[in-house]
Amino acid sequence: VNQREILLQKNKDLRPERADKVLERMNLHSKGALSKETLIGLFKLLDQIGPAGKPAKLPELLVSRKNKPENTVVTVAGKEIGGGQPQLVAGPCAVESAEQVDAAAGAVKARGLHFLRGGAFKPRTSPYDFQGLGEEGLRLLKQAGNRHGLAVISEIVDPRDLEMAAGYLDVIQIGARNMQNFELLKEAGRTKKPILLKRGLAATIDEFIHAAEYIMVHGNDQIILCERGIRTYEKATRNTLDITAVPLLKQETHLPVMVDVTHSTGRKDLLVPAAKAALAIGADGVMAEVHPNPKQALSDASQQMNFTEFEHFVNELEKSGLYKHNKVMV
Amino acid sequence: VNQREILLQKNKDLRPERADKVLERMNLHSKGALSKETLIGLFKLLDQIGPAGKPAKLPELLVSRKNKPENTVVTVAGKEIGGGQPQLVAGPCAVESAEQVDAAAGAVKARGLHFLRGGAFKPRTSPYDFQGLGEEGLRLLKQAGNRHGLAVISEIVDPRDLEMAAGYLDVIQIGARNMQNFELLKEAGRTKKPILLKRGLAATIDEFIHAAEYIMVHGNDQIILCERGIRTYEKATRNTLDITAVPLLKQETHLPVMVDVTHSTGRKDLLVPAAKAALAIGADGVMAEVHPNPKQALSDASQQMNFTEFEHFVNELEKSGLYKHNKVMV
Amino acid sequence: VNQREILLQKNKDLRPERADKVLERMNLHSKGALSKETLIGLFKLLDQIGPAGKPAKLPELLVSRKNKPENTVVTVAGKEIGGGQPQLVAGPCAVESAEQVDAAAGAVKARGLHFLRGGAFKPRTSPYDFQGLGEEGLRLLKQAGNRHGLAVISEIVDPRDLEMAAGYLDVIQIGARNMQNFELLKEAGRTKKPILLKRGLAATIDEFIHAAEYIMVHGNDQIILCERGIRTYEKATRNTLDITAVPLLKQETHLPVMVDVTHSTGRKDLLVPAAKAALAIGADGVMAEVHPNPKQALSDASQQMNFTEFEHFVNELEKSGLYKHNKVMV
Amino acid sequence: VNQREILLQKNKDLRPERADKVLERMNLHSKGALSKETLIGLFKLLDQIGPAGKPAKLPELLVSRKNKPENTVVTVAGKEIGGGQPQLVAGPCAVESAEQVDAAAGAVKARGLHFLRGGAFKPRTSPYDFQGLGEEGLRLLKQAGNRHGLAVISEIVDPRDLEMAAGYLDVIQIGARNMQNFELLKEAGRTKKPILLKRGLAATIDEFIHAAEYIMVHGNDQIILCERGIRTYEKATRNTLDITAVPLLKQETHLPVMVDVTHSTGRKDLLVPAAKAALAIGADGVMAEVHPNPKQALSDASQQMNFTEFEHFVNELEKSGLYKHNKVMV
């Protein structure tokens, strides 16, 4: 795809010289009865009509439902995301050791889930905080996934790592801080792996949709969107879960939409209610963090569930009728 | 209740002279090994312990669940809010005429609801926008409620109007713009009518809870809280529905909590999903606007449902299993 | 002024029936070449033109510079606000006693200021916090103002108190929490005293301007606007000082604009720089809090200056050349 | 620098086992008189004291003023940023052609500036918007800088481009969308070129400071911070200029701080007042966009100044006394 050509095409009829000339002529004809704002408004509308009276609208975005009315279903290791049956994704914030990730994978599998998450490259506010185990973390995650029959998801933060990561992961996550790291998005467009794209810390719906478009226009149409809370003045929760973003994104795009309840709330006491709301409003899946021993976790210690809490979490979602138990068949 | 006495009591042990003396002594003893911040932190903690080693904590807020563990159930005309069965509240943004509010009441009743809303005093950004019919609007609302057997709810904005309004209304609403109009809250505390208190445009959970405390400390414990979206950078929706505020408020207080889906989204295409999320997360009720002819409405024309849309709205909530149909028995 | 008539006048040509008919006709003529959005856009523009080809624009707001190009200068006890020479307003957060407010007034006068502020009705988040001395506070403030030759400013929060307050005050303040307390605004429009109107916690510029319009349309054109910081995600400061609101408000309206540096920053270490920025960007005045003994203050103890800090504050502003010393002539 | 070692060192005394044991013991001793929150608070304070009664505080951040009290002065091509004399940086949003950037450079030089900016890699919301000329843009920028004797600044968005870019640029900019692109920050730490780091769209002051720490801890101490407005609910301006961030950043760090008035306001009518506020509050420089023909610009057409407006901009700053004219000596 050559953006330059798209741009030139797009701007062919909108070039400023034309605008100036048309505005001048309209001004003459209206003899001052129309304000400048009205004239500019009229011009913009006329411009959409085009020279032959036919609408010269831009083509719709590739990710938009106007472009493709049917839902995109992302199939990962035989399991569907966006196929009607919501999926849970769980696992530790960070991969810390073979034992830790294996224990977490066991707990995740035992409750019938198909997807294991775990961070290997951790974007941390401070350079002195735990930065993750890197490629070794990906290896440990894949090993745990293989042993327990789980598809694995992890965040990649450097465009130079995408090829390497595709050797370990079933789904590549692009995190909130990198939602507008366009070089990373472009590389993600060039891989064959599904991409889980998280909404930026303070990204608008429109920016989020265009970030997905960067991936799709570069060749990858296997994209899962993930609402994870936005930054607002309210500090009772870590972020504010923008729950209506889910139906909005599903209206505007054909992509599956998940909700990360751990990062949107940052509070273990809100994971169950937030997940119920997400499922009731139509999310295709829910992400949450679980750790064998949260108090000793190297990151986000206070917001990861232990195994008992995770049991309770899945039980409550099943009891609500909003999430259906998956029979374990290893 | 005498706030002054509470204040003096509260501040008895915290008075600045004491703080200064204690800090000075602690500083001497620590020989500079402790930073000023550490010393202040220690002092604050010690202060909570009190002179006799016993916790000298403030009494809990009256609205807090720590003060009263059981749910408050507000009973209006024999119908419960907060009693386990979620209630729908619907009606036009503003009462415009006898015919209009009567038609709306008929539609609301026909779908089995018990509560009719309609604005008579409209707080509008511009003084040139429709300000509501005032007391005449309350009279028309009550008349429509009586004819159709519906309890009626309307917003009051002036402390001088509360007594008059109590003659017309079953529930008095205090709107978002007046959540910290403390004189209005105090008067609301002095009425015998239940109060529906909406969260302020950019109020924190903590400010919202304290606003309810103003009402309760002045004598009225029949309070319903209402989340109605908060102001954020995101403009795809009119406000951002802070859905996790519902479980938070229900944890922190014993009061029923409703969600106004019309004002939080400002979009008719999001009313059904937002209401489902609200019910799934535990809201005690949902408010929405319905008008016989929204296009001709004198306020908020674009966000009110017409009767067909309202039918669909209630049907979808019933189909979801999250809201139970109320048999109509006129 | 009869809002109803203005509304009807305004809506005469915009009534929905007309819109429907015009849209229908335009749709026929364009034979589907124009999208619905384009048609609506065209309609709105045509509507501005009016039937006779002449612009049928709404009259400009009374507060707008388009309505009155010259600056409004508010003269208080012979001193001008908005007259070119910036004014400082200072005093304690709350009036606590005759001694306290007299000491503060002395310090304020000694540095050549003309305006003393002090709260008597304090809008506090918690009902258990100090609520102010009420009318007695106004009396003490006036007494201190008289003794030291200072004009006095205080906040009123209840429409029932405005008449009483006018007997004590030179300028009546309407605080941030009451910026959209429209009943209070309307009463403020009926007094003869100048009004200092603070921007709401999360009010847009447009809402702020319309709040001022409420006052002016009800009869009072002596209005001073005051930027006091807005609520954002950033918590390093109490609020975020929206400094460009000052030139924006001065472009859009003809009213004087002040900046409250105490409430916008909430930090004593930022008062001097914030005040310099305010004066450099064109503010007509700066407000700040000073207290004889901030540590013992009954409200906002940490953000009020003591007398030494206040000395330094005024000295720094004078040294910057942005504020001119007023010779003391008692 | 080995983050892992720093982390382990940092966490030596804070390891969770110890916390559990100490909390348990404290609980026993207090016989339930202390709440759990109080105990945890006490523990955290005790932990800061360390075993020998000596403060075991973390070392201060490298960028902090506590670590280095003197101002960092960044010298670029013999001109100082942070040396007391504020600098202006100007140029087009994007480098579009040799003629365009040369014309802009001429105008910038003619008004006595030393720094030319111009984008070659443009992070754009939509993949269909102009993405910049890439390396060719850097070459044209350097050529224009050389011809007119100006140091050149441009944004780099891909860690793989930093080495290449160092061959063309005097200062490398890291933009708002990449403030937490930690891989890019780490690479920036490894170059020898000064880095201009812009604040993220919704970054806190604390996150901004830690982003700078990423650069410094990886080896580069030539860092200029740049406030460029934050994302808030207010849409009258493109962003909200957080003007008090300037003194805050200068208090907390030893780095120079600039203000980008173009991106913080997004309005040409606010550039002069915003720049005056920035200079008055102590900014070490101001950035603004100027283009030979803004109406034909390929990006941000509405917010770039033309040459006449730029003349006026510099003149007004000089007249204010806040910015001193630099004599042109080619």
Side-chain angles (χ1 to χ4, degrees):
Chain A
V1 175
N2 186 330
Q3 291 100 345
R4 184 145 290 250
E5 281 169 27
I6 294 175
L7 178 79
L8 290 177
Q9 179 59 38
K10 178 183 162 190
N11 286 316
K12 211 173 53 180
D13 298 322
L14 270 165
R15 52 184 194 281
E17 312 94 276
R18 178 170 171 248
D20 283 351
K21 223 186 288 178
V22 174
L23 280 173
E24 198 185 313
R25 211 175 316 152
M26 283 166 72
N27 200 18
L28 277 176
H29 281 247
S30 78
K31 290 169 189 159
L34 304 175
S35 72
K36 199 184 150 199
E37 286 71 26
T38 305
L39 284 172
I40 290 173
L42 274 172
F43 170 68
K44 282 191 185 153
L45 288 166
L46 291 173
D47 202 82
Q48 289 169 37
I49 308 170
K54 273 183 281 177
K57 281 219 310 189
L58 276 179
E60 302 292 346
L61 292 184
L62 299 176
V63 297
S64 72
R65 203 171 272 284
K66 285 183 186 157
N67 176 56
K68 170 172 176 278
E70 319 80 46
N71 286 335
T72 287
V73 179
V74 177
T75 305
V76 183
K79 306 297 172 192
E80 293 182 350
I81 296 177
Q85 165 86 347
Q87 300 288 353
L88 297 188
V89 176
C93 177
V95 175
E96 296 169 3
S97 69
E99 295 71 30
Q100 174 246 18
V101 70
D102 189 68
V108 164
K109 184 65 180 185
R111 290 306 284 110
L113 277 65
H114 305 304
F115 296 92
L116 176 69
R117 60 143 291 145
F121 297 93
K122 301 296 304 171
R124 303 301 300 275
T125 298
S126 166
Y128 307 120
D129 285 338
F130 179 50
Q131 309 272 314
L133 298 180
E135 186 172 352
E136 172 67 5
L138 297 185
R139 203 183 57 75
L140 297 176
L141 182 70
K142 179 185 164 74
Q143 184 180 290
N146 282 347
R147 184 169 314 157
H148 295 277
L150 294 164
V152 293
I153 304 180
S154 196
E155 176 171 0
I156 299 303
V157 296
D158 190 323
R160 294 167 295 194
D161 287 340
L162 276 172
E163 207 177 304
M164 173 274 287
Y168 295 104
L169 298 175
D170 298 296
V171 178
I172 290 169
Q173 178 179 314
I174 293 184
R177 281 163 192 76
N178 283 306
M179 193 203 80
Q180 289 195 319
N181 179 343
F182 298 116
E183 303 313 306
L184 187 61
L185 296 176
K186 289 173 190 170
E187 289 291 347
R190 294 180 194 118
T191 75
K192 300 280 171 242
K193 292 284 177 182
I195 304 295
L196 178 80
L197 178 65
K198 289 202 163 181
R199 183 177 183 181
L201 295 174
T204 63
I205 299 280
D206 184 64
E207 289 168 346
F208 192 14
I209 290 173
H210 277 90
E213 184 76 2
Y214 265 94
I215 299 173
M216 194 166 287
V217 82
H218 283 90
N220 189 346
D221 59 2
Q222 299 292 294
I223 305 169
I224 304 154
L225 302 176
C226 185
E227 158 67 24
R228 44 77 73 205
I230 57 173
R231 187 163 272 185
T232 73
Y233 71 85
E234 173 62 76
K235 301 299 172 195
T237 42
R238 179 163 161 181
N239 291 291
T240 298
L241 172 54
D242 181 8
I243 195 73
T244 57
V246 177
L248 261 177
L249 290 167
K250 290 191 73 71
Q251 276 179 38
E252 297 297 320
T253 80
H254 49 78
L255 302 173
V257 180
M258 301 188 75
V259 171
D260 177 341
V261 292
T262 297
H263 288 90
S264 42
T265 67
R267 290 174 63 139
K268 287 198 289 190
D269 56 355
L270 296 179
L271 297 182
V272 169
K276 284 184 189 171
L279 294 171
I281 212 168
D284 298 297
V286 166
M287 295 185 83
E289 289 182 1
V290 56
H291 188 287
N293 189 349
K295 271 200 289 192
Q296 300 204 17
L298 293 177
S299 58
D300 284 353
S302 69
Q303 70 188 24
Q304 302 193 58
M305 293 181 273
N306 63 29
F307 290 168
T308 313
E309 291 160 339
F310 177 62
E311 270 292 306
H312 173 75
F313 176 75
V314 183
N315 287 348
E316 287 298 306
L317 296 188
E318 286 175 358
K319 275 181 12 194
S320 76
L322 296 160
Y323 171 71
K324 226 170 84 187
H325 183 68
N326 296 285
K327 288 279 160 53
V328 187
M329 298 165 294
V330 192
Chain B
V1 175
N2 185 330
Q3 292 99 342
R4 183 147 291 249
E5 280 169 27
I6 295 175
L7 177 80
L8 290 177
Q9 180 59 37
K10 178 182 162 191
N11 286 316
K12 211 175 52 179
D13 298 321
L14 268 164
R15 54 183 192 279
E17 313 93 278
R18 179 172 171 249
D20 283 350
K21 223 187 286 178
V22 175
L23 279 174
E24 197 185 312
R25 212 176 313 150
M26 282 165 71
N27 200 18
L28 276 175
H29 281 248
S30 78
K31 291 169 189 160
L34 303 175
S35 72
K36 199 185 151 199
E37 285 71 25
T38 305
L39 285 171
I40 290 173
L42 273 172
F43 170 69
K44 283 191 185 153
L45 289 166
L46 291 172
D47 203 83
Q48 290 169 35
I49 309 171
K54 274 184 282 179
K57 283 219 310 190
L58 277 179
E60 301 293 346
L61 293 183
L62 299 175
V63 296
S64 72
R65 202 170 274 283
K66 285 182 186 160
N67 175 58
K68 171 173 175 281
E70 319 80 47
N71 286 335
T72 287
V73 178
V74 177
T75 304
V76 183
K79 307 297 172 192
E80 293 182 351
I81 295 178
Q85 166 84 348
Q87 300 287 354
L88 298 188
V89 176
C93 177
V95 175
E96 296 168 5
S97 69
E99 295 71 30
Q100 174 244 19
V101 70
D102 189 68
V108 164
K109 184 64 179 186
R111 291 304 285 110
L113 276 64
H114 305 304
F115 296 91
L116 176 69
R117 59 144 290 147
F121 297 93
K122 302 296 304 170
R124 304 300 300 275
T125 298
S126 166
Y128 306 120
D129 285 338
F130 179 50
Q131 309 272 315
L133 299 180
E135 186 171 351
E136 171 67 6
L138 297 184
R139 203 184 58 74
L140 296 176
L141 183 70
K142 179 185 164 74
Q143 183 181 292
N146 282 349
R147 183 170 316 156
H148 295 276
L150 294 164
V152 293
I153 304 179
S154 197
E155 176 170 359
I156 299 302
V157 297
D158 191 322
R160 295 167 293 194
D161 288 339
L162 276 171
E163 209 176 303
M164 173 275 286
Y168 295 104
L169 298 175
D170 298 295
V171 177
I172 290 169
Q173 177 178 314
I174 293 183
R177 280 164 192 76
N178 283 306
M179 194 203 79
Q180 290 196 317
N181 180 342
F182 298 117
E183 302 315 306
L184 187 62
L185 297 176
K186 289 172 190 171
E187 289 291 349
R190 294 179 194 118
T191 76
K192 300 281 172 241
K193 291 285 176 181
I195 305 294
L196 178 80
L197 178 65
K198 289 203 163 181
R199 183 176 183 181
L201 295 173
T204 62
I205 299 280
D206 185 64
E207 288 168 347
F208 192 14
I209 290 173
H210 277 90
E213 185 76 3
Y214 264 94
I215 299 172
M216 194 166 285
V217 82
H218 283 89
N220 188 347
D221 59 2
Q222 299 293 295
I223 305 169
I224 304 154
L225 302 176
C226 185
E227 159 66 24
R228 44 77 72 207
I230 58 173
R231 187 163 272 185
T232 72
Y233 71 86
E234 174 62 76
K235 302 298 172 196
T237 43
R238 179 163 162 180
N239 292 290
T240 298
L241 172 55
D242 182 8
I243 195 74
T244 58
V246 177
L248 262 176
L249 290 168
K250 291 192 72 72
Q251 276 180 39
E252 296 296 320
T253 79
H254 49 78
L255 303 172
V257 180
M258 299 189 75
V259 171
D260 177 341
V261 291
T262 298
H263 288 91
S264 42
T265 67
R267 290 172 63 137
K268 287 199 288 189
D269 56 355
L270 296 179
L271 297 181
V272 169
K276 285 184 188 171
L279 294 170
I281 212 168
D284 297 298
V286 166
M287 295 185 82
E289 289 181 359
V290 57
H291 188 287
N293 189 350
K295 271 199 290 192
Q296 300 203 15
L298 293 178
S299 58
D300 283 353
S302 69
Q303 70 188 25
Q304 302 192 59
M305 292 181 275
N306 62 30
F307 290 168
T308 314
E309 290 161 339
F310 177 62
E311 270 293 306
H312 174 75
F313 176 74
V314 183
N315 287 349
E316 287 298 306
L317 296 187
E318 286 176 358
K319 276 180 13 193
S320 76
L322 296 160
Y323 171 71
K324 227 170 83 185
H325 182 68
N326 296 285
K327 286 278 162 53
V328 188
M329 298 164 296
V330 194
Chain C
V1 175
N2 184 330
Q3 292 99 343
R4 185 145 288 251
E5 280 169 29
I6 294 175
L7 178 79
L8 290 176
Q9 180 59 38
K10 179 184 161 188
N11 287 316
K12 211 175 51 179
D13 298 320
L14 270 166
R15 55 182 193 280
E17 311 95 279
R18 178 171 173 248
D20 283 349
K21 220 184 293 179
V22 174
L23 279 174
E24 197 186 312
R25 209 175 317 151
M26 282 165 73
N27 200 17
L28 276 176
H29 281 248
S30 79
K31 292 170 190 158
L34 303 176
S35 72
K36 199 183 152 201
E37 286 71 27
T38 306
L39 284 171
I40 291 173
L42 274 171
F43 171 68
K44 282 192 186 151
L45 288 166
L46 291 172
D47 205 82
Q48 289 169 36
I49 307 171
K54 272 183 282 177
K57 281 218 309 187
L58 278 178
E60 301 293 346
L61 292 183
L62 300 175
V63 296
S64 72
R65 201 169 276 282
K66 284 182 186 160
N67 176 56
K68 170 172 175 279
E70 320 79 48
N71 286 335
T72 286
V73 178
V74 177
T75 305
V76 183
K79 306 299 172 189
E80 293 181 350
I81 296 178
Q85 166 85 347
Q87 299 287 353
L88 298 188
V89 176
C93 177
V95 175
E96 296 168 4
S97 69
E99 295 72 30
Q100 174 245 21
V101 68
D102 189 69
V108 164
K109 185 66 179 186
R111 289 307 283 109
L113 277 64
H114 305 305
F115 297 90
L116 176 68
R117 59 146 290 146
F121 297 92
K122 301 296 303 171
R124 303 300 299 274
T125 297
S126 167
Y128 307 120
D129 284 339
F130 179 51
Q131 308 272 314
L133 299 179
E135 185 170 352
E136 172 68 5
L138 297 184
R139 203 184 57 75
L140 297 176
L141 183 70
K142 180 185 164 75
Q143 184 180 291
N146 282 347
R147 184 170 314 156
H148 295 276
L150 294 165
V152 293
I153 303 178
S154 197
E155 176 171 358
I156 298 303
V157 296
D158 191 322
R160 295 167 294 196
D161 288 339
L162 275 172
E163 207 176 306
M164 172 275 286
Y168 295 104
L169 298 174
D170 298 295
V171 177
I172 290 169
Q173 179 179 314
I174 293 183
R177 282 162 192 77
N178 284 306
M179 192 204 81
Q180 289 196 319
N181 180 341
F182 298 117
E183 302 315 305
L184 188 61
L185 296 176
K186 290 173 189 170
E187 289 291 348
R190 295 179 194 118
T191 75
K192 300 279 173 244
K193 291 285 177 180
I195 305 295
L196 178 81
L197 177 65
K198 288 202 165 182
R199 183 177 183 181
L201 295 173
T204 62
I205 298 279
D206 184 65
E207 289 168 346
F208 192 15
I209 290 173
H210 277 90
E213 184 76 3
Y214 265 94
I215 300 172
M216 195 166 287
V217 82
H218 283 89
N220 189 346
D221 60 1
Q222 298 293 294
I223 305 168
I224 304 154
L225 302 176
C226 184
E227 158 67 24
R228 44 76 73 206
I230 58 173
R231 188 163 272 185
T232 73
Y233 71 87
E234 174 61 79
K235 302 299 174 195
T237 42
R238 179 165 163 178
N239 291 291
T240 298
L241 172 55
D242 181 9
I243 195 74
T244 57
V246 177
L248 261 177
L249 290 167
K250 291 190 73 72
Q251 275 180 37
E252 296 297 320
T253 80
H254 49 77
L255 302 173
V257 180
M258 300 190 75
V259 172
D260 178 340
V261 292
T262 297
H263 288 91
S264 43
T265 67
R267 290 174 63 138
K268 287 198 290 190
D269 56 354
L270 296 179
L271 297 181
V272 169
K276 284 184 189 170
L279 295 170
I281 211 167
D284 297 298
V286 166
M287 294 185 83
E289 290 181 0
V290 57
H291 188 287
N293 190 349
K295 273 199 289 193
Q296 300 205 14
L298 293 177
S299 58
D300 285 353
S302 69
Q303 71 187 26
Q304 301 193 59
M305 292 181 275
N306 63 28
F307 289 169
T308 314
E309 291 160 339
F310 176 63
E311 270 292 304
H312 174 75
F313 175 76
V314 183
N315 287 349
E316 287 299 306
L317 296 188
E318 287 176 356
K319 275 180 13 194
S320 75
L322 296 161
Y323 172 71
K324 227 169 86 187
H325 182 68
N326 296 287
K327 287 279 163 52
V328 189
M329 300 164 293
V330 192
Chain D
V1 175
N2 185 332
Q3 290 101 343
R4 183 143 289 249
E5 280 169 28
I6 294 174
L7 178 78
L8 291 177
Q9 180 58 38
K10 178 184 162 190
N11 286 315
K12 211 174 50 178
D13 299 321
L14 270 165
R15 54 182 192 278
E17 311 95 275
R18 178 169 172 249
D20 283 350
K21 222 185 291 178
V22 175
L23 279 173
E24 197 186 312
R25 210 175 315 150
M26 283 165 71
N27 200 19
L28 277 176
H29 280 248
S30 79
K31 291 169 190 161
L34 303 175
S35 72
K36 199 184 150 197
E37 286 71 26
T38 306
L39 284 172
I40 290 173
L42 274 171
F43 171 68
K44 282 193 186 151
L45 287 166
L46 290 172
D47 204 84
Q48 289 168 36
I49 307 170
K54 272 183 284 178
K57 282 217 311 185
L58 278 179
E60 302 294 346
L61 292 183
L62 299 175
V63 297
S64 72
R65 202 170 274 284
K66 285 182 185 159
N67 175 56
K68 171 172 175 279
E70 320 80 46
N71 287 334
T72 286
V73 178
V74 176
T75 305
V76 183
K79 306 298 171 189
E80 292 183 350
I81 296 178
Q85 166 85 347
Q87 298 288 354
L88 298 187
V89 175
C93 177
V95 174
E96 296 168 4
S97 68
E99 294 71 30
Q100 174 244 20
V101 68
D102 189 69
V108 165
K109 184 64 179 187
R111 289 307 283 111
L113 278 63
H114 305 305
F115 296 91
L116 176 69
R117 61 144 289 147
F121 297 92
K122 300 298 302 172
R124 303 300 298 276
T125 297
S126 167
Y128 307 119
D129 284 339
F130 179 49
Q131 308 272 315
L133 299 180
E135 186 170 350
E136 171 68 5
L138 298 184
R139 202 183 58 74
L140 297 176
L141 183 69
K142 181 186 163 74
Q143 183 181 294
N146 282 349
R147 185 170 313 158
H148 295 276
L150 295 164
V152 293
I153 303 179
S154 197
E155 177 172 359
I156 298 302
V157 295
D158 191 322
R160 295 168 293 196
D161 287 339
L162 276 171
E163 208 177 304
M164 173 275 287
Y168 295 104
L169 298 174
D170 298 295
V171 177
I172 291 170
Q173 178 179 315
I174 293 184
R177 282 163 191 77
N178 283 305
M179 193 205 81
Q180 290 195 318
N181 180 343
F182 298 118
E183 303 314 306
L184 187 62
L185 297 176
K186 290 173 189 171
E187 290 290 348
R190 294 179 194 117
T191 74
K192 300 281 172 240
K193 292 286 177 180
I195 304 295
L196 178 81
L197 178 66
K198 288 202 164 180
R199 184 177 183 181
L201 295 173
T204 63
I205 298 279
D206 185 64
E207 289 168 345
F208 192 15
I209 291 173
H210 276 90
E213 185 75 4
Y214 265 94
I215 300 172
M216 195 167 287
V217 81
H218 283 88
N220 189 347
D221 60 1
Q222 298 293 294
I223 304 169
I224 305 153
L225 302 175
C226 184
E227 158 67 24
R228 45 77 73 207
I230 58 174
R231 187 164 274 186
T232 73
Y233 71 87
E234 174 62 77
K235 302 298 173 195
T237 42
R238 179 164 164 179
N239 291 290
T240 298
L241 172 55
D242 181 8
I243 195 75
T244 58
V246 176
L248 261 176
L249 290 167
K250 291 192 72 73
Q251 275 179 40
E252 297 297 321
T253 80
H254 49 77
L255 302 172
V257 180
M258 300 189 75
V259 171
D260 177 341
V261 292
T262 297
H263 288 91
S264 42
T265 66
R267 291 173 62 137
K268 288 197 289 189
D269 56 355
L270 296 178
L271 297 181
V272 168
K276 284 184 188 171
L279 295 170
I281 211 167
D284 297 299
V286 166
M287 293 185 84
E289 289 181 0
V290 57
H291 188 287
N293 189 351
K295 271 200 290 192
Q296 301 205 14
L298 293 178
S299 58
D300 284 353
S302 70
Q303 70 188 25
Q304 300 193 59
M305 293 181 275
N306 63 28
F307 290 168
T308 313
E309 291 161 339
F310 176 63
E311 270 292 306
H312 174 74
F313 176 76
V314 183
N315 286 350
E316 287 299 305
L317 297 188
E318 287 176 356
K319 276 181 8 196
S320 75
L322 296 161
Y323 172 72
K324 228 170 84 186
H325 183 68
N326 295 285
K327 286 280 162 53
V328 188
M329 297 165 295
V330 192

